[in-house]
Amino acid sequence: MPSESTREGHAPEQCKSCHGTGDVPSEHGPARCPDCGGAGYLPSPHVLVEWRARDIERAHAGSTGSTGGDVRWLLAELRRSRDALTEISALAQELDENPISARIRFAANRGLRLYEVVSEEKP
Ligand SMILES: [Zn+2]
């Protein structure tokens, strides 16, 4: 029966926008790749969500209509939920290892995507 485990430190995925160089051509010469921040590889899904949230926040920073307010509300809710999941995950690490504490950690990780989940076949 397959079970799940988490794996930290998996090989980072090369950025497809800059092919791992960290630079993209612009009319003023090479510029830092906007997709990977110049690193050449993509960060974890957890970090990508925060980058995307900041991009959305910046894009709507000056919006005064209902859309700007809606976006700010949604991002505040996203961050509040992720903070709560981070605390739940940290508290579950303090518990003795048992099926319930493992399920709490996996559920929190589904929301945070801090660790890659891999399936393992039991021998
Ligand atoms: Zn890139």
Side-chain angles (χ1 to χ4, degrees):
M1 185 182 158
S3 67
E4 291 178 313
S5 68
T6 55
R7 192 167 65 192
E8 201 173 7
H10 55 93
E13 185 183 346
Q14 188 183 64
C15 178
K16 290 175 181 67
S17 302
C18 65
H19 306 287
T21 64
D23 295 323
V24 290
S26 76
E27 56 189 58
H28 305 293
R32 194 171 67 165
C33 175
D35 292 333
C36 64
Y41 57 86
L42 296 177
S44 70
H46 176 75
V47 174
L48 278 175
V49 168
E50 186 50 41
W51 284 11
R52 185 84 178 105
R54 285 185 204 164
D55 287 347
I56 293 168
E57 196 169 40
R58 253 192 307 274
H60 293 277
S63 303
T64 51
S66 65
T67 303
D70 290 347
V71 166
R72 282 188 290 277
W73 175 81
L74 203 54
L75 289 174
E77 286 296 312
L78 173 75
R79 290 186 173 125
R80 195 174 59 80
S81 299
R82 286 165 62 91
D83 285 350
L85 283 175
T86 302
E87 188 173 347
I88 289 167
S89 180
L91 289 170
Q93 306 277 350
E94 302 290 318
L95 298 172
D96 293 333
E97 183 62 39
N98 64 57
I100 298 298
S101 67
R103 283 178 62 188
I104 293 170
R105 289 196 314 273
F106 275 94
N109 187 58
R110 261 202 321 276
L112 294 170
R113 299 200 291 173
L114 283 168
Y115 307 103
E116 182 187 9
V117 176
V118 292
S119 279
E120 290 178 342
E121 293 294 327
K122 283 186 180 167

